[in-house]
Amino acid sequence: MATRGLSADEIKLRAQRAFEKADARKQEASRAMEAEQVEREAVLQKTVRLRALRLAKEAADAETAAIVAAEQARIKTEAADAKAAAKALKAAETAKRATKSRAKA
């Protein structure tokens, strides 16, 4: 900045404008950094919330899978018990018939 030929008031005015311009840039940078920090914090909070939801869903899915597996095991056991009971009944009927046929003979 050339100050030759300028009065003291003009030099002071230029200096004041330069200072105000630099101050305005500094304030703008500060606002931009603050906005960026707010955005970072929002992303972090969203990430934490989504992680908690994912973990809760995974826990619920695991619990559901355990319940389903237990129910399937119970059904399988009941089917095996019913099959064994039917087999025992059939064997008893066969033995009863064999006893009757021996008695007749």
Side-chain angles (χ1 to χ4, degrees):
M1 249 190 308
T3 56
R4 284 192 183 163
L6 297 177
S7 69
D9 288 339
E10 290 174 333
I11 293 171
K12 284 181 185 178
L13 185 60
R14 277 189 178 188
Q16 182 64 32
R17 285 184 187 157
F19 173 78
E20 288 171 358
K21 201 180 232 187
D23 192 43
R25 284 188 199 134
K26 187 177 177 182
Q27 288 177 359
E28 179 61 30
S30 178
R31 282 192 296 269
M33 286 175 36
E34 186 177 320
E36 187 176 326
Q37 182 62 32
V38 167
E39 186 177 339
R40 269 193 220 137
E41 187 64 32
V43 168
L44 180 62
Q45 288 176 357
K46 184 177 180 181
T47 301
V48 168
R49 182 180 61 83
L50 290 175
R51 182 172 187 261
L53 288 172
R54 179 180 51 83
L55 292 174
K57 181 186 180 301
E58 287 174 359
D61 289 348
E63 184 178 344
T64 301
I67 291 170
V68 168
E71 184 65 18
Q72 287 175 344
R74 184 188 63 77
I75 290 170
K76 188 175 180 181
T77 302
E78 285 178 1
D81 290 347
K83 188 175 180 180
K87 190 174 182 180
L89 182 61
K90 187 174 180 181
E93 288 174 357
T94 304
K96 188 176 180 181
R97 276 191 231 129
T99 306
K100 281 185 181 180
S101 59
R102 281 190 211 141
K104 284 184 182 180

